[in-house]
């Protein structure tokens, strides 16, 4: 079964962060194009899905094996 890993990294002193996405150790990219404003809380929902929240904003990142990519649902505050 394929698994999606996650790591978070705070990008700068102004509080901007990126969620860095990995699949079987391969770096896939960041969860959002622009940095997230604030420090997201990230948790694993299942082997192929994580969720992230900042305040009342929430998004899920799910590995879609048919498309062989991660699909984001929801919204996080970016700047």
């Amino acid at each position: 079964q394929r698994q999606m890993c996650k790591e978070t990294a705070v990008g700068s002193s102004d509080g901007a962060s990126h969620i860095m996405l990995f699949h079987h150790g391969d770096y896939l990219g960041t969860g959002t194009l622009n940095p997230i404003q604030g420090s997201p809380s990230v948790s694993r929902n299942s082997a192929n899905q994580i969720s992230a929240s900042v305040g009342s904003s929430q998004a899920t990142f799910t590995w879609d094996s048919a498309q062989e990519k991660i699909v984001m649902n929801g919204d996080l505050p970016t700047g």
Side-chain angles (χ1 to χ4, degrees), residues 3-22:
Q3 291 190 343
M4 183 174 73
C5 299
K6 59 89 183 169
E7 287 191 21
T8 58
V10 176
S12 64
S13 62
D14 66 359
S17 303
H18 270 291
I19 297 171
M20 301 173 69
L21 301 169
F22 296 84

Side-chain angles (χ1 to χ4, degrees), residues 16-51:
S17 303
H18 270 291
I19 297 171
M20 301 173 69
L21 301 169
F22 296 84
H23 185 258
H24 286 286
D26 295 327
Y27 175 67
L28 300 177
T30 59
T32 55
L33 181 61
N34 295 312
I36 297 166
Q37 298 304 309
S39 182
S41 173
V42 180
S43 59
R44 179 182 298 279
N45 300 333
S46 65
N48 68 337
Q49 185 181 77
I50 62 170
S51 61

